[in-house]
Amino acid sequence: MGDRPHRGEVTTVGAVDAVAGVRTGNPATDFSIALLGAFVRNGVRDFVVSPGSRSQALALVAAELERSGSARLHVRIDERSAGFLALGLARETGAPAVVITTSGTATANVHPAVLEAHEAGVPLIVVTGDRPEELRGIRSNQTTRQDGMYGAAVRWSADVDAQASGSEGSDAAELGLAAVRSAVGAETADPGPVHLNVAFREPLSVAVPPLPAAMAGSLPARAGADALGRETIAIDGGRRTVVVAGADAGPRAEEFAREGGFPLLAEVSSGARFGPNLVASYRELLHDDTFGGAVERAIVFGHPTLSREVPALLSRPDVEVIVVAPAGAQAYNPGRRARVVGGVRVGDGIDVRSPEVRGWVGRWVFASRRLAERAEQQANPSAVAPDVAKARSFEPADALAFATAELAAIRAPITRALLAETIWRYTWPHDRLVLGASRLIRDADRIVPGKKIVVHANRGLAGIDGTIATATGIALASQAEAEQAGIPSGVTRVLLGDLAVLHDAGSLLLGAGERHPHLQVVVGNDGGGTIFDGLEVAGSASAETFDRVLYTPQSVDLASLARAYGWHHSIARTKGELDQALSAPPAGVSMLEVPLTR
Ligand SMILES: Cc1ncc(C[n+]2csc(CCOP(=O)(O)OP(=O)(O)O)c2C)c(N)n1
Ligand SMILES: [Mg+2]
């Protein structure tokens, strides 16, 4: 979520609009109109519905809100897909997306997305349909203990009787506002998921009358870090300092590093991997005594998860660690010895033009560029500038040598580093890049250069689940918002491994009438989970056993899988094919398969 600003100010429940006045006489439907109307008035734009009987009133009202132009509706039969889709929508917009499910196991399928939202601080509102108290605990059909089922992962949960608060509607509206305020952290500065478990009695709904356009209001503002008791401190000079930017650190990390003249060690999904102070090859340099060994202070933004070197640095007793956490009750704190603050500013004692400051940051940046050039040459030998003299020569031998070299470059096989580097190169600011949990995100983190683009990754829990659904949500939200703003919308690409694709294959299902975003799923197919080949035990365990329980080989025909769901599929085996496929992704949804060697 980074520093994404929240839209506008608090809208109060008192501002009753036309939707809030609609009554049908059916408690379930009236409650649903009041609740969902309140969501829209308080900044919610996206509803994700999974079908079911108990939640029918909510689902029908959500459809009516879309029809009246008040909100966007997305329908998914699998609640796990629905949950991650909502997570992606919320990640991209900063506004809570609402997931609506029926009772029973449906509710548990949202749990993975709830956990990721909890750990990553993404606002999400889950509304689950349930039976009323008198039907619970007596083995009624499809009835279980849903109330409070997400435990400590939610910021707030409520068990509500739709009938008790339905006829008036004002209680439901209060509830909607309270849920949004809690999800965005309006009082707590601790955004995350919220659960409303709603008991509906029969008759479960009536036809929803056409609703007037709802008063689409703005989102409550998130509280400042002082709500968490965290102050903003001044950082002074005199200590050799680096800035570390982990997942979702946001552009503030880059700005602060630049203002203070600090080297910026920014992970690929930090939202801060750009600018003059960027040290892309930070891992190698952290191993080096004259760089990593010389660090005396680290200022951390976001949630670093991609390297072993950063936690090692932060647990060194000779390194002072300051963690900047303007939001989130739980702060990153390796070794529990960090000073956690709400913000930092550059103190008066720092002169960024002084030779010491410029020398320190300059050495890091220079060394990083040297390493990056070398890595790039290894990843992509053909990136070495073509021999232009030969191209211009009239000697047939020169022309042939040039053509042969160029052809070899186009036909070069694809490595992980080349794949990561190429996808990065084709991503522009109006595009979105989503990185799955795989060897590939780590390779990308090792090599890609600075670029100001929007990158998302579910690093809250780094699950391989829900990656396609999350990327779909990001694509739908970014493209809808661009369209609304009248600016060209780009493409969303997701780079992930084969097991992650198979884990979330169900999210390839876009039902009839559902929006197809411009989304390219890029699969690095190495036949299983090769990330585990990096484990120490890979060298000592029996190869057969290791493969069976960790690598978990698969040979699914991804082309058939994609086509079964109506997705375009293509394969890139060489650098030339990869360039072609990434530079012009087909309209709508497509899968690009890139075979990789183990
Ligand atoms: C839901 C979930 N289950 C299990 C894991 C453990 N895990 C991490 S990476 C991985 C395998 C990834 O394989 P693949 O997607 O093919 O990527 P590769 O590393 O091969 O590039 C697994 C099972 C996880 N992160 N999330
Ligand atoms: Mg794999």
Side-chain angles (χ1 to χ4, degrees), residues 497-499 524 526-530:
D498 47 302
L499 293 193
D526 47 23
T530 59

Side-chain angles (χ1 to χ4, degrees), residues 67-88:
R67 201 206 47 77
S68 67
S70 308
R72 295 182 289 254
L73 169 66
H74 317 274
V75 181
R76 295 294 183 275
I77 61 166
D78 180 339
E79 291 79 8
R80 192 173 70 175
S81 299
F84 278 108
L85 179 74
L87 183 86

Side-chain angles (χ1 to χ4, degrees), residues 363-403:
R363 284 196 298 280
W364 279 84
V365 171
F366 186 75
S368 174
R369 291 211 180 125
R370 289 265 299 269
L371 286 166
E373 273 160 28
R374 214 179 303 156
E376 153 120 47
Q377 271 176 23
Q378 277 164 8
N380 185 6
S382 56
V384 181
D387 188 344
V388 184
K390 280 208 172 72
R392 290 211 188 99
S393 161
F394 291 105
E395 288 295 323
D398 283 348
L400 185 64
F402 177 76

Side-chain angles (χ1 to χ4, degrees), residues 1 4-7 43-47 70-72 74 86 88-97 216-219 429-432 454 456 472-490 492 515 517-518:
M1 301 303 298
R4 199 174 284 279
H6 288 275
R7 300 192 199 104
V44 167
R45 293 292 169 269
D46 290 282
F47 292 95
S70 308
R72 295 182 289 254
H74 317 274
L89 291 162
R91 261 196 153 277
E92 175 61 33
T93 60
S218 53
L219 214 57
H430 57 289
D431 296 330
R432 296 290 180 268
V454 183
H456 288 281
T472 306
I474 288 163
L476 287 167
S478 65
Q479 291 162 23
E481 298 217 328
E483 205 171 290
Q484 236 167 25
I487 53 175
S489 72
T492 294
R515 293 176 186 81
H518 196 193

Side-chain angles (χ1 to χ4, degrees), residues 434-441 456-459 463 467 494-497 500:
V434 184
L435 299 170
S438 146
R439 239 172 110 169
L440 290 159
I441 187 172
H456 288 281
N458 282 337
R459 300 307 297 175
T467 318
V494 51
L495 176 62
L496 77 180

